[in-house]
PDB file of all heavy atoms in Angstrom:
ATOM      1  N   LYS A  29     -29.639 -64.974-191.646  1.00  0.00           N
ATOM      2  CA  LYS A  29     -29.180 -65.682-192.903  1.00  0.00           C
ATOM      3  C   LYS A  29     -27.626 -65.704-193.084  1.00  0.00           C
ATOM      4  O   LYS A  29     -26.922 -64.735-192.786  1.00  0.00           O
ATOM      5  CB  LYS A  29     -29.746 -65.133-194.113  1.00  0.00           C
ATOM      6  CG  LYS A  29     -29.385 -63.653-194.396  1.00  0.00           C
ATOM      7  CD  LYS A  29     -30.149 -63.089-195.532  1.00  0.00           C
ATOM      8  CE  LYS A  29     -29.590 -61.741-196.000  1.00  0.00           C
ATOM      9  NZ  LYS A  29     -30.512 -60.928-196.753  1.00  0.00           N
ATOM     10  N   ILE A  74     -38.250 -64.104-194.911  1.00  0.00           N
ATOM     11  CA  ILE A  74     -38.259 -62.754-195.538  1.00  0.00           C
ATOM     12  C   ILE A  74     -37.847 -62.771-197.021  1.00  0.00           C
ATOM     13  O   ILE A  74     -37.816 -61.731-197.706  1.00  0.00           O
ATOM     14  CB  ILE A  74     -37.245 -61.822-194.657  1.00  0.00           C
ATOM     15  CG1 ILE A  74     -35.806 -62.374-194.704  1.00  0.00           C
ATOM     16  CG2 ILE A  74     -37.800 -61.660-193.307  1.00  0.00           C
ATOM     17  CD1 ILE A  74     -34.864 -61.360-194.121  1.00  0.00           C
ATOM     18  N   ILE A 158     -39.010 -53.991-199.926  1.00  0.00           N
ATOM     19  CA  ILE A 158     -37.511 -53.784-199.958  1.00  0.00           C
ATOM     20  C   ILE A 158     -37.279 -52.634-200.966  1.00  0.00           C
ATOM     21  O   ILE A 158     -37.175 -52.969-202.187  1.00  0.00           O
ATOM     22  CB  ILE A 158     -36.764 -55.041-200.420  1.00  0.00           C
ATOM     23  CG1 ILE A 158     -37.166 -56.278-199.608  1.00  0.00           C
ATOM     24  CG2 ILE A 158     -35.210 -54.882-200.310  1.00  0.00           C
ATOM     25  CD1 ILE A 158     -36.683 -57.536-200.209  1.00  0.00           C
ATOM     26  N   MET A 188     -34.023 -51.876-193.214  1.00  0.00           N
ATOM     27  CA  MET A 188     -32.930 -52.797-193.086  1.00  0.00           C
ATOM     28  C   MET A 188     -31.759 -51.934-192.476  1.00  0.00           C
ATOM     29  O   MET A 188     -31.932 -50.880-191.986  1.00  0.00           O
ATOM     30  CB  MET A 188     -32.599 -53.368-194.446  1.00  0.00           C
ATOM     31  CG  MET A 188     -33.762 -53.974-195.096  1.00  0.00           C
ATOM     32  SD  MET A 188     -33.684 -54.624-196.807  1.00  0.00           S
ATOM     33  CE  MET A 188     -31.959 -55.131-196.975  1.00  0.00           C
ATOM     34  N   SER A 189     -30.550 -52.611-192.440  1.00  0.00           N
ATOM     35  CA  SER A 189     -29.467 -51.962-191.702  1.00  0.00           C
ATOM     36  C   SER A 189     -29.209 -50.535-192.243  1.00  0.00           C
ATOM     37  O   SER A 189     -28.980 -49.604-191.528  1.00  0.00           O
ATOM     38  CB  SER A 189     -28.180 -52.750-191.938  1.00  0.00           C
ATOM     39  OG  SER A 189     -28.268 -54.036-191.235  1.00  0.00           O
ATOM     40  N   ARG A 204     -36.053 -55.342-190.285  1.00  0.00           N
ATOM     41  CA  ARG A 204     -35.366 -56.562-190.616  1.00  0.00           C
ATOM     42  C   ARG A 204     -33.885 -56.243-190.632  1.00  0.00           C
ATOM     43  O   ARG A 204     -33.405 -55.588-191.673  1.00  0.00           O
ATOM     44  CB  ARG A 204     -35.865 -57.081-191.945  1.00  0.00           C
ATOM     45  CG  ARG A 204     -37.412 -57.294-192.090  1.00  0.00           C
ATOM     46  CD  ARG A 204     -37.823 -57.905-193.368  1.00  0.00           C
ATOM     47  NE  ARG A 204     -37.159 -57.125-194.467  1.00  0.00           N
ATOM     48  CZ  ARG A 204     -37.727 -56.116-195.116  1.00  0.00           C
ATOM     49  NH1 ARG A 204     -38.989 -55.704-194.805  1.00  0.00           N
ATOM     50  NH2 ARG A 204     -37.125 -55.478-195.999  1.00  0.00           N
ATOM     51  N   GLY A 206     -29.814 -57.252-190.450  1.00  0.00           N
ATOM     52  CA  GLY A 206     -28.785 -58.335-190.451  1.00  0.00           C
ATOM     53  C   GLY A 206     -27.448 -57.827-190.195  1.00  0.00           C
ATOM     54  O   GLY A 206     -26.934 -57.971-189.061  1.00  0.00           O
ATOM     55  N   SER A 207     -26.835 -57.172-191.121  1.00  0.00           N
ATOM     56  CA  SER A 207     -25.440 -56.781-190.965  1.00  0.00           C
ATOM     57  C   SER A 207     -25.047 -55.917-189.842  1.00  0.00           C
ATOM     58  O   SER A 207     -23.986 -56.053-189.180  1.00  0.00           O
ATOM     59  CB  SER A 207     -24.881 -56.245-192.234  1.00  0.00           C
ATOM     60  OG  SER A 207     -25.700 -55.310-192.884  1.00  0.00           O
ATOM     61  N   ARG A 213     -21.858 -60.131-194.359  1.00  0.00           N
ATOM     62  CA  ARG A 213     -22.032 -61.517-194.858  1.00  0.00           C
ATOM     63  C   ARG A 213     -20.949 -61.688-196.004  1.00  0.00           C
ATOM     64  O   ARG A 213     -20.734 -60.670-196.707  1.00  0.00           O
ATOM     65  CB  ARG A 213     -23.402 -61.782-195.344  1.00  0.00           C
ATOM     66  CG  ARG A 213     -24.491 -61.683-194.309  1.00  0.00           C
ATOM     67  CD  ARG A 213     -25.892 -61.877-194.987  1.00  0.00           C
ATOM     68  NE  ARG A 213     -26.279 -60.789-195.773  1.00  0.00           N
ATOM     69  CZ  ARG A 213     -26.856 -59.728-195.265  1.00  0.00           C
ATOM     70  NH1 ARG A 213     -27.184 -59.613-194.097  1.00  0.00           N
ATOM     71  NH2 ARG A 213     -27.257 -58.740-196.140  1.00  0.00           N
TER      72      ARG A 213
HETATM   73  C1  PLP B 301     -30.849 -59.821-195.879  1.00  0.00           C
HETATM   74  C2  PLP B 301     -32.129 -59.101-195.790  1.00  0.00           C
HETATM   75  C3  PLP B 301     -32.323 -58.057-194.767  1.00  0.00           C
HETATM   76  C4  PLP B 301     -31.213 -57.635-193.901  1.00  0.00           C
HETATM   77  O1  PLP B 301     -30.235 -56.912-194.642  1.00  0.00           O
HETATM   78  P1  PLP B 301     -29.105 -56.029-193.915  1.00  0.00           P
HETATM   79  O2  PLP B 301     -28.807 -54.958-194.853  1.00  0.00           O
HETATM   80  O3  PLP B 301     -28.025 -56.957-193.624  1.00  0.00           O
HETATM   81  O4  PLP B 301     -29.748 -55.522-192.599  1.00  0.00           O
HETATM   82  C5  PLP B 301     -33.609 -57.515-194.692  1.00  0.00           C
HETATM   83  N1  PLP B 301     -34.602 -57.966-195.485  1.00  0.00           N
HETATM   84  C6  PLP B 301     -34.485 -58.914-196.461  1.00  0.00           C
HETATM   85  C7  PLP B 301     -35.563 -59.269-197.290  1.00  0.00           C
HETATM   86  C8  PLP B 301     -33.203 -59.462-196.642  1.00  0.00           C
HETATM   87  O5  PLP B 301     -33.038 -60.427-197.552  1.00  0.00           O
END
Side-chain angles (χ1 to χ4, degrees):
K29 63 187 187 198
I74 61 171
I158 311 168
M188 307 174 31
S189 291
R204 308 179 311 266
S207 44
R213 293 178 292 273

